[in-house]
Amino acid sequence: MTESPIYTAEQLLETRLEQPEDGRWMELDRGKIINLDPPDIEHGTIVLNLSKMLSVYLHQVDHGYACFELGLLLNRNPDTVRFPAVSIFQTGTRFEETDKAITERKPTAIIEVASTNPRRQVMNDHVSEYVNWGVELIWVIDPKAKAVLEYLPARGSEVIDFKGKITGGTVMPDFVMKVEDLFTEPVWW
């Protein structure tokens, strides 16, 4: 039996371009390529609703920016690269990471959307990796449960249900969003 090759982050980027949809739904887990199911329409709705609220908040505080589906290089040798829905940076030059495919810079906050069963199954591992990397705020949005798992290293984790609110705590002071607003269908003209 032949073993799967071990890829680097750079090789992942080359391989992605040869895949359908430019390999948009691929990750690298300790050198092994992982193919995830494409997200569903609800995933897009959640990211759209969240991006609108984050845009208003980050513009008001004039501190930080959000990147969408940016590859985060968590480990080297073997390489692990994750592509969360949203990464929020509050240090460095503004928009420094925006045009990159992969970065080694650690964001202040990470938001994942567990929109398919395979994504749901890997979320515990992803959260553990982000915690070990030192990310200050992690939200995992679960469309099936209509809830958000919030992780703050100082407080641990908490599940916030559909009627609750997510807040930015000390990471994004004054950020508040109703969980139910994450799942609201957009009104198209």
Side-chain angles (χ1 to χ4, degrees):
M1 189 167 134
T2 308
E3 259 190 62
S4 300
I6 301 296
Y7 290 85
T8 64
E10 294 76 18
Q11 290 169 322
L12 171 70
L13 287 180
E14 291 171 15
T15 302
R16 287 179 85 197
L17 296 176
E18 300 164 3
Q19 303 301 313
E21 295 186 56
D22 291 329
R24 190 170 174 196
W25 315 119
M26 294 172 75
E27 292 188 336
L28 194 61
D29 186 30
R30 294 177 289 255
K32 306 269 189 209
I33 291 178
I34 306 296
N35 288 299
L36 298 171
D37 292 342
D40 58 16
I41 194 82
E42 190 169 29
H43 182 114
T45 296
I46 292 165
V47 172
L48 174 67
N49 290 333
L50 188 59
S51 67
K52 289 191 292 188
M53 291 296 290
L54 285 172
S55 175
V56 169
Y57 171 78
L58 292 169
H59 180 74
Q60 285 174 346
V61 297
D62 196 27
H63 178 68
Y65 59 97
C67 291
F68 299 87
E69 296 175 11
L70 172 66
L72 303 177
L73 180 54
L74 303 175
N75 291 308
R76 282 274 190 195
N77 301 318
D79 294 1
T80 295
V81 180
R82 302 291 182 218
F83 291 86
V86 184
S87 301
I88 298 171
F89 293 89
Q90 294 180 317
T91 62
T93 306
R94 194 147 194 213
F95 305 115
E96 183 177 349
E97 306 303 315
T98 304
D99 292 329
K100 296 180 182 178
I102 292 178
T103 186
E104 293 186 54
R105 280 197 55 227
K106 176 178 56 181
T108 308
I110 292 177
I111 304 163
E112 287 266 20
V113 182
S115 56
T116 64
N117 284 333
R119 289 173 189 276
R120 221 174 266 101
Q121 291 170 354
V122 298
M123 278 307 137
N124 285 338
D125 291 339
H126 286 202
V127 170
S128 293
E129 290 168 345
Y130 300 148
V131 169
N132 291 334
W133 199 30
V135 176
E136 297 175 42
L137 172 64
I138 303 158
W139 289 327
V140 177
I141 302 167
D142 186 342
K144 187 175 181 180
K146 299 280 193 253
V148 178
L149 170 76
E150 177 181 76
Y151 188 89
L152 293 160
R155 288 194 341 226
S157 64
E158 172 186 1
V159 175
I160 304 166
D161 69 16
F162 189 74
K163 291 297 178 187
K165 295 178 183 176
I166 53 176
T167 64
T170 59
V171 177
M172 296 188 305
D174 302 323
F175 179 87
V176 178
M177 183 174 188
K178 293 177 186 176
V179 171
E180 65 185 296
D181 289 346
L182 289 166
F183 306 101
T184 302
E185 286 291 324
V187 177
W188 303 105
W189 312 20

